[in-house]
Amino acid sequence: MRLPEAINTLTEWARKGRVLFTLEDLRKLFPRDRDAAFRGGLDRLVSAGVLHRVSRGLFVFALAGRRDPHLLERIAVALRRGCYSYLSLESALSEHGVISQVPLAGLTVMTTGRAGLFDTPFGRIEFTHTKRSVNDILKQTRETGRPLRIATPGAAARDLRRVGRNVHLIDEHELEEAIADGRQSEPERPGSTRL
């Protein structure tokens, strides 16, 4: 693959809102290239700063322009493709207003896949394994319009207690209010005000 052709192709996908690609995705975008040519082209794109290697086999188009505000969540979904994953622990509790500290540079994610920690150029993702059933996960999480579902305040607090860390951050009064005032079913959005 030649650099100008690759940039044009990736720019076209970025206009459609797609900037995150697996190795298999890139192979489909450049099907004419054989293995050696594809690998060489991929290395050149990374060296030139056109693609950021997020993890093994996962790349972000660096020249996309406007940054996707949910890119880190999309990366989390791609890293645990085929698993159920949801925002929980400190990330969810912070969004619900139950803990005062906001995780600045990363996400805490529960997953049915493997636990792991990924430091990416876009932030840290901490995966914690859960044995919850799919039905339980769906009942205890909510759609957000973002790539990841979010745990309800009660579920996020239970997850944090199960993992046994940072439980001192939970404001029990705020947690009770969050569950009682409906944030259990509709999480508070950052920047919104509670009455």
Side-chain angles (χ1 to χ4, degrees), residues 1-2 5-6 9 26-38:
M1 82 185 75
R2 288 190 277 159
E5 172 195 344
T9 301
L26 292 170
R27 282 194 181 280
K28 289 176 187 173
L29 291 179
F30 306 103
R32 288 189 223 128
D33 294 342
R34 300 206 176 197
D35 275 350
F38 177 79

Side-chain angles (χ1 to χ4, degrees), residues 52-162:
H52 281 302
R53 189 182 312 266
V54 175
S55 178
R56 185 175 178 207
L58 190 61
F59 303 86
V60 171
F61 179 46
L63 306 179
R66 190 176 67 108
R67 177 145 179 236
D68 178 355
H70 304 301
L71 181 59
L72 198 54
E73 287 189 31
R74 291 186 203 294
I75 292 169
V77 170
L79 288 170
R80 291 295 179 263
R81 192 174 277 175
C83 301
Y84 282 88
S85 299
Y86 60 95
L87 204 61
S88 189
L89 306 167
E90 294 90 350
S91 292
L93 290 170
S94 176
E95 283 199 31
H96 291 301
V98 173
I99 62 174
S100 59
Q101 295 181 359
V102 178
L104 293 178
L107 298 176
T108 51
V109 178
M110 298 297 289
T111 182
T112 57
R114 287 189 329 252
L117 186 63
F118 290 84
D119 284 311
T120 78
F122 308 98
R124 174 178 276 198
I125 303 169
E126 179 183 357
F127 290 103
T128 302
H129 177 73
T130 182
K131 292 182 180 178
R132 286 181 185 237
S133 69
V134 173
N135 276 343
D136 192 29
I137 290 171
L138 294 175
K139 286 178 191 172
Q140 298 296 316
T141 61
R142 301 294 177 255
E143 288 287 338
T144 61
R146 299 173 357 204
L148 286 172
R149 296 175 69 90
I150 187 170
T152 60
R158 280 191 302 277
D159 286 342
L160 194 66
R161 287 185 179 110
R162 278 187 193 142

Side-chain angles (χ1 to χ4, degrees), residues 143-184:
E143 288 287 338
T144 61
R146 299 173 357 204
L148 286 172
R149 296 175 69 90
I150 187 170
T152 60
R158 280 191 302 277
D159 286 342
L160 194 66
R161 287 185 179 110
R162 278 187 193 142
V163 216
R165 65 161 199 240
N166 294 329
V167 291
H168 64 281
L169 295 176
I170 297 175
D171 181 326
E172 294 297 335
H173 178 71
E174 284 294 325
L175 178 60
E176 288 172 20
E177 277 189 23
I179 293 169
D181 75 5
R183 282 183 275 159
Q184 182 75 17

